Amino acid sequence: MSLADSDRELVEAELGRDPTTTEAALFENLWSEHCAYRSSRMLLSAFDSESDRVVVGPGDDAAVVALDEDTYLTFGVESHNHPSYVDPYDGAATGVGGIVRDTLSMGAYPIALADSLYFGDFDAEHSRYLLDGVVEGISDYGNAIGVPTVGGSTQFHPDYEGNPLVNVACVGLLDADRLVTAEAQEPGNKLVLVGNGTGRDGLGGASFASEDLAEDAETEDRPAVQVGDPYTEKLLIEANEDLVSANLVESARDLGAAGLGGASCELVAKGGLGCVIDLARVHQREPNMNATEILLAESQERMCYEVAPENVDAVRDIAETYDLGCSVIGDLTDSGRFVCEFEGETVVDAPAEYLADGAPLNDLPTEEPPEPTVDLPDTPLESAFDAVLSSPNTASKRWVYRQYDHEVGARTSVRPGDDAALLAVRRAGQGVALSAGANPNWTAAAPYEGAYATAVENATNLAAVGATPLAAVDCLNGGNPEKPDVYGGFTSVVDGLADGCRDLSVPVVGGNVSLYNDSATGPIPPTPTLAMLGTKSGYDAPGTGLSGEGTLLLVGGHASCLGGSEYLAQSGGSDRFPALPDRPADRVAGLASVADLASTRAVHDVSDGGLAVTLAEMLTADAGLEASVPGLAELFSEAPGRAVVETTDPDAVRTRVDAVELGAADDSGTLTLDVAGTELAYGFESVADARDTLAEELD
């Protein structure tokens, strides 16, 4: 990829001359879709990002929200989609490393990760190869740096075959007085690079992420993928903690997209300043690197700090303590210009703000997504139940999360496998819940409604552990926006997600856009991954497993539309998307209060696979249930905002939420369902075996 002719003309007009080779490469990367959001920035104003608990909103490396006046959380999400196709292990691992460094740059200590993964058909060998490599990359990196992976999702859909998605969210913790931002503060301060040496890996990563994947991408684009070193990242985490504690950092930015060029230019532009950088001072791990390589390589485990001159020696001492490289690479100026020198030659001299924010936006045509038709299959109940229960989308994801260390740090109260993770933040006396994911079947069937349902689903997950939403970040994944139908679907998911979060009163405080997820096999479904934080008093929550002693209530009642359901994915056909809840915020708040009742024994939301999978997942070896459902459609509908509650006090539930009775739990260890007069019965072991699809193929 090279600087487009139309962009080159703008750059030449701004500079009054031809750009140097290094300038052209820097503009190409900073003006890429990945960095400049040229096709999506105008859409993002749909999101509300403010509340009285939002401290730092969109635009920094990570958002910051307040737990209380003394304790803050950072929250961010990133994509590493193209790299994870080319090299699933390193692509996924460096995605974790990047979002963790975004957390560090705000002065926070990372306390939790959640990964949302999307692959092609599970039956395809290549999809299983990608899944295996991605999970190994995430687990090796996250486990080595000591940050628990506590949640996420894993989805399969044929349209991801040529372009999987790897979206990673990170939560950090900091005291309010430790907050650092990416806004340069003072001319005369030094720019200091701390961390790994700069190599040639990841060259052109930002521009690579802004184009469709070619058929030969796995070989031809390998140099654009970064190589991670989690042990250096762990040292960097601890060094950053010491630097912030000693008040040695004025501002910070992690080196991600566009490498040193992206981090340093964005930092000074955000502060309305300029800088002069000597690229020859950058510590390197490969010989004979030229200026463009040094400036744009996306080598991992590096941070750019603004440091007062009198503190440089102290920063160098801390870096040396952790055996990290440290280079004083330049000075902040009041010129407003981004200047880079190399071996006596000025290779970049351009306005910092123009580099960082001057990319023209794209005005692209859109086509409205078609309305789903009604074409329902005639599938025998038992075969439908078996197919949905054993589908890779609804099957147990234990094969994935058992590879992650989800307890390091001693904060994890509710572990992976339930609706939401729950972390104990003892200094604030609060539990912090985290949910992340999206369902491509929903947004492929109905982009607006599916995205709205994504917001409701994540909020319902939080409510199931007794938490109410605090804030959300989004990772908006789409195909090639130059295709009107693709851009129309993407626009619809943005609007749907924004409206859903607004109706839930959840500010969207940051996020990421990843477009051009398109390949020879076609575009991906529009995929609005949402990560949502919630809070509650205390750290206890009901589980999803039945106790065997309560009445079963369905919060939100029955639904019969099957659009976007796993049932239709398995059986074929189409249908309207289920009705969205009228007052989702009230239902979420009501369910959260129900989850905290002493009489509540279990809570589990209804989502992938509908009521059939929810009830099957609540089964234990010692507790079963008997329930009745009006019909097949009601059994498999995935209408959002619903949950099954096991309670010993049904009236206490009904005073808080609308609910209908399903049946009762017992000590049988058997799932017994009456579906419009047809009985289904499954023992715990047969359900567990059916849901072990991933492990059976991958172990």
Side-chain angles (χ1 to χ4, degrees), residues 49 57-59 63 75 77 472-475 508-512:
S49 58
F75 198 22
V77 65
V473 292
D474 57 44
C475 195
V508 179
V509 294
N512 175 66

Side-chain angles (χ1 to χ4, degrees), residues 261-275:
S264 56
C265 182
E266 290 167 354
L267 185 144
V268 299
K270 194 172 177 64
L273 300 177
C275 66

Side-chain angles (χ1 to χ4, degrees), residues 379-615:
T379 308
L381 177 62
E382 186 169 354
S383 62
F385 189 90
D386 291 343
V388 169
L389 194 62
S390 61
S391 163
N393 280 326
T394 60
S396 169
K397 302 306 187 297
R398 186 176 180 277
W399 181 89
V400 176
Y401 63 73
R402 76 183 183 192
Q403 302 184 51
Y404 305 148
D405 186 341
H406 41 260
E407 294 185 334
V408 62
R411 294 186 181 90
T412 309
S413 180
V414 174
R415 298 178 294 179
D418 278 11
D419 292 328
L422 186 62
L423 306 167
V425 181
R426 295 176 181 86
R427 70 176 70 176
Q430 296 186 51
V432 173
L434 174 62
S435 173
N439 187 328
N441 286 336
W442 294 1
T443 46
Y448 176 90
E449 292 83 357
Y452 190 109
T454 298
V456 175
E457 160 67 5
N458 279 281
T460 305
N461 284 337
L462 301 183
V465 297
T468 53
L470 172 63
V473 292
D474 57 44
C475 195
L476 303 170
N477 306 272
N480 186 333
E482 297 164 46
K483 300 176 181 178
D485 59 332
V486 171
Y487 194 55
F490 181 79
T491 300
S492 292
V493 299
V494 171
D495 290 341
L497 197 65
D499 287 349
C501 289
R502 184 179 302 109
D503 289 349
L504 289 160
S505 298
V506 180
V508 179
V509 294
N512 175 66
V513 176
S514 175
L515 296 176
Y516 291 95
N517 291 292
D518 216 323
S519 68
T521 66
I524 64 162
T527 310
T529 297
L530 192 69
M532 191 177 288
L533 280 179
T535 58
K536 65 174 297 180
S537 177
Y539 327 120
D540 294 327
T544 58
L546 296 169
S547 72
E549 59 183 19
T551 299
L552 298 178
L553 299 179
L554 175 60
V555 174
H558 289 292
S560 57
C561 287
L562 290 164
S565 67
E566 188 61 29
Y567 167 74
L568 289 183
Q570 294 297 317
S571 303
S574 61
D575 195 6
R576 297 183 303 276
F577 197 81
L580 301 169
D582 291 333
R583 300 168 63 185
D586 291 347
R587 186 178 296 178
V588 165
L591 180 60
S593 70
V594 165
D596 279 341
L597 291 173
S599 53
T600 296
R601 296 292 183 263
V603 180
H604 194 8
D605 89 302
V606 180
S607 57
D608 299 2
L611 195 55
V613 171
T614 298
L615 294 173

Side-chain angles (χ1 to χ4, degrees), residues 89-408:
Y89 181 89
D90 280 315
T94 52
V96 172
I99 194 64
V100 166
R101 290 193 304 280
D102 284 345
T103 303
L104 302 184
S105 71
M106 309 305 294
Y109 198 90
I111 63 170
L113 294 162
D115 53 83
S116 298
L117 313 176
Y118 308 84
F119 301 98
D121 261 333
F122 183 70
D123 290 340
E125 183 178 353
H126 189 247
S127 295
R128 296 196 298 272
Y129 155 75
L130 292 173
L131 169 64
D132 192 50
V134 164
V135 171
E136 185 179 6
I138 291 170
S139 65
D140 282 1
Y141 204 100
N143 294 353
I145 63 176
V147 181
T149 299
V150 298
S153 63
T154 305
Q155 298 280 344
F156 302 92
H157 189 285
D159 291 346
Y160 295 116
E161 174 55 36
N163 198 132
L165 304 182
V166 174
N167 297 171
V168 184
C170 186
V171 181
L173 181 65
L174 74 156
D175 294 333
D177 59 4
R178 289 168 54 91
L179 178 62
V180 177
T181 71
E183 182 176 326
Q185 299 294 307
E186 189 72 32
N189 284 343
K190 302 292 184 178
L191 288 177
V192 181
L193 185 63
V194 175
N196 248 339
T198 298
R200 291 186 171 89
D201 57 314
L203 274 169
S207 56
F208 161 60
S210 304
E211 57 188 357
D212 293 349
L213 279 172
E215 289 188 77
D216 59 358
E218 289 175 285
T219 53
E220 293 300 312
D221 291 318
R222 183 62 188 81
V225 180
Q226 309 93 329
V227 178
D229 177 1
Y231 301 102
T232 297
E233 180 99 345
K234 177 59 175 174
L235 296 172
L236 191 58
I237 290 171
E238 302 306 327
N240 187 80
E241 188 76 357
D242 287 358
L243 291 170
V244 174
S245 295
N247 201 28
L248 299 176
V249 174
E250 306 301 322
S251 66
R253 194 120 204 179
D254 105 279
L255 272 68
L260 175 61
S264 56
C265 182
E266 290 167 354
L267 185 144
V268 299
K270 194 172 177 64
L273 300 177
C275 66
V276 177
I277 294 174
D278 185 348
L279 295 174
R281 294 182 182 177
V282 173
H283 55 283
Q284 302 159 42
R285 65 171 185 263
E286 295 188 36
N288 304 317
M289 293 184 69
N290 61 40
T292 303
E293 291 171 333
I294 295 168
L295 189 62
L296 290 175
E298 296 180 10
S299 303
Q300 294 292 283
E301 294 87 37
R302 300 181 298 160
M303 296 286 293
C304 182
Y305 296 112
E306 177 190 356
V307 179
E310 64 271 20
N311 291 329
V312 168
D313 287 343
V315 171
R316 188 180 284 114
D317 288 345
I318 289 175
E320 186 175 334
T321 297
Y322 289 97
D323 199 25
L324 295 170
C326 181
S327 303
V328 181
I329 60 172
D331 301 273
L332 294 183
T333 70
D334 58 5
S335 69
R337 299 192 72 80
F338 183 76
V339 179
C340 295
E341 299 171 346
F342 184 67
E343 297 180 347
E345 180 183 356
T346 298
V347 294
V348 177
D349 185 355
E353 186 174 2
Y354 190 66
L355 268 164
D357 296 313
L361 302 183
N362 296 330
D363 183 13
L364 300 173
T366 66
E367 290 180 8
E368 288 291 321
E371 289 291 325
T373 58
V374 178
D375 179 18
L376 296 177
D378 183 14
T379 308
L381 177 62
E382 186 169 354
S383 62
F385 189 90
D386 291 343
V388 169
L389 194 62
S390 61
S391 163
N393 280 326
T394 60
S396 169
K397 302 306 187 297
R398 186 176 180 277
W399 181 89
V400 176
Y401 63 73
R402 76 183 183 192
Q403 302 184 51
Y404 305 148
D405 186 341
H406 41 260
E407 294 185 334
V408 62

